[in-house]
Amino acid sequence: MQIGYKLAAEAFGPKELMRQAVRAESAGFDFVEMSDHYHPWLDVQGHSPFAWTVLGAIAAQTERIGLATGVTCPTVRYHPAIIAQAAATLALVSDGRFTLGVGSGERLNEHVVAREFPEARKRQEMLREALEIIRLLWRGGYRSYDGRYLSLSDARVFDLPDELPVIAVAASGPPSALIAAELGDGLFATEPKSEIVERYRAAGGAGPRYAEVPMAWAPDEETAAKAVLETTRWALTGWKVMSELPNPVNFDAASKTVRMDDVVQQFACGPDPARYVEVAQQFVDAGFDHLVMQNAGPDPDGFIDFYQQELEPRLRQLTPRSAAG
């Protein structure tokens, strides 16, 4: 079991994210995972630095901890040729510690370049083409590609690592799980759905399986849940909403009906490690083996201390309940 720390790029500025990553390494986390957004989900979060700059700086300030994007959309705001180059460079400067998490994106971030953000089926087809382009460029040499949606003209990534980054593909259902198995090296998800892992495995996927575990640390459950309501209630709207709304103000309106009861039902809130284990167990039972601690609480240092002192040994021991008998 690998345990990661979510760098909440929508909630903190770049230097604070760097500081948290250094602390996460010293606390024993295996990797940090950072979203690649242009906007925060809600204006109250107040941040959204450029992920690739921050991850490069973290690589320079750390020695052991893995780095991952969670996730990058390589189809609209970026061309896949740029992501192929960026990921290869980050793999080199981190001495092979980088995992490229990719997905089909959210309108929230992709619409800013004034290009069409298509419907879900087309987004999946574009993601497939983007992964083919990245793989092609990582083979070295000058490459061209003519797809239905994306093209590449006589391009070459000159600086390639000896060992290419793992590509973990975000999936919310069977179609994207199939792409993860066919063109990725791993799987990425935000919900404890066993059918996603089952589809991935059935299609031949055998790589790492990442999942974000919702939690909010505070000295008491009420304080933690209130923090989620203030900054992270968007997470309870569901992926179909999360992928389609264009701006933070829309997420503010769409999440107004979220209540405290909704939060504590989905998030581990407060100081009780047993509740955190209970929430994490759902993801382990669904087949995930790389758990990302997504803390929405108000005190990141308090959470890191809590993880190191109370939570880590319990999480390391988790196994699927069916396998444990």
Side-chain angles (χ1 to χ4, degrees):
M1 183 67 64
Q2 295 281 297
I3 309 296
Y5 178 82
K6 175 75 174 188
L7 293 170
E10 302 82 15
F12 301 102
K15 288 190 175 181
E16 171 60 15
L17 293 169
M18 292 157 56
R19 187 193 69 83
Q20 289 182 27
V22 171
R23 275 224 63 198
E25 180 175 66
S26 66
F29 283 96
D30 299 306
F31 63 95
V32 292
E33 177 238 301
M34 181 178 175
S35 55
D36 184 357
H37 276 211
Y38 197 88
H39 290 149
W41 297 100
L42 299 173
D43 281 331
V44 70
Q45 292 179 293
H47 296 278
S48 199
F50 188 56
W52 296 90
T53 301
V54 178
L55 288 169
I58 290 170
Q61 294 190 17
T62 56
E63 297 178 355
R64 172 196 57 81
I65 199 163
L67 314 171
T69 48
V71 294
T72 288
C73 175
T75 59
V76 180
R77 181 167 45 110
Y78 301 121
H79 188 280
I82 304 304
I83 298 305
Q85 182 189 38
T89 299
L90 192 47
L92 286 168
V93 300
S94 67
D95 295 319
R97 289 183 282 143
F98 178 62
T99 294
L100 175 60
V102 298
S104 59
E106 305 98 8
R107 190 180 303 275
L108 173 72
N109 305 298
E110 306 309 314
H111 84 277
V112 300
V113 293
R115 289 181 57 197
E116 176 195 5
F117 187 69
E119 50 89 17
R121 177 190 57 81
K122 187 181 292 187
R123 295 201 302 268
Q124 295 295 331
E125 294 173 358
M126 292 174 68
L127 179 59
R128 180 178 289 276
E129 290 189 3
L131 289 169
E132 290 175 350
I133 288 172
I134 292 169
R135 293 290 192 194
L136 185 65
L137 286 167
W138 283 358
R139 287 162 53 185
Y142 287 92
R143 301 291 179 175
S144 297
Y145 179 97
D146 291 309
R148 183 177 180 184
Y149 305 103
L150 298 169
S151 298
L152 182 73
S153 179
D154 206 25
R156 177 182 174 186
V157 176
F158 274 81
D159 290 291
L160 289 171
D162 292 334
E163 185 174 346
L164 294 169
V166 167
I167 298 179
V169 180
S172 58
S176 44
L178 182 62
I179 295 175
E182 292 181 349
L183 291 170
D185 306 301
L187 181 69
F188 190 99
T190 59
E191 297 177 279
K193 293 182 177 179
S194 60
E195 59 267 29
I196 296 176
V197 175
E198 290 165 2
R199 179 59 170 158
Y200 171 71
R201 285 173 165 166
R209 301 173 299 279
Y210 291 80
E212 294 182 344
V213 183
M215 52 187 58
W217 185 87
D220 61 272
E221 183 181 83
E222 183 178 1
T223 300
K226 284 182 176 178
V228 176
L229 274 180
E230 180 182 4
T231 67
T232 316
R233 61 184 183 275
W234 51 267
L236 285 84
T237 60
W239 184 249
K240 288 186 177 181
V241 173
M242 290 168 63
S243 66
E244 296 297 341
L245 298 182
N247 285 303
V249 65
N250 305 111
F251 279 95
D252 184 42
S255 59
K256 286 293 190 185
T257 59
V258 175
R259 298 291 179 260
M260 290 276 281
D261 288 346
D262 303 317
V263 169
V264 298
Q265 183 176 355
Q266 184 166 325
F267 279 70
C269 293
D272 183 5
R275 174 56 180 157
Y276 289 77
V277 171
E278 180 184 16
V279 173
Q281 183 72 60
Q282 302 173 72
F283 291 88
V284 175
D285 289 344
F288 295 97
D289 60 7
H290 283 57
L291 302 184
V292 184
M293 306 292 100
Q294 186 178 12
N295 174 47
D299 179 4
D301 288 298
F303 170 74
I304 291 173
D305 290 340
F306 170 69
Y307 169 80
Q308 191 172 24
Q309 298 165 13
E310 301 281 349
L311 199 53
E312 181 181 16
R314 293 172 168 87
L315 293 177
R316 299 282 184 194
Q317 296 172 9
L318 289 180
T319 57
R321 280 178 289 202
S322 57

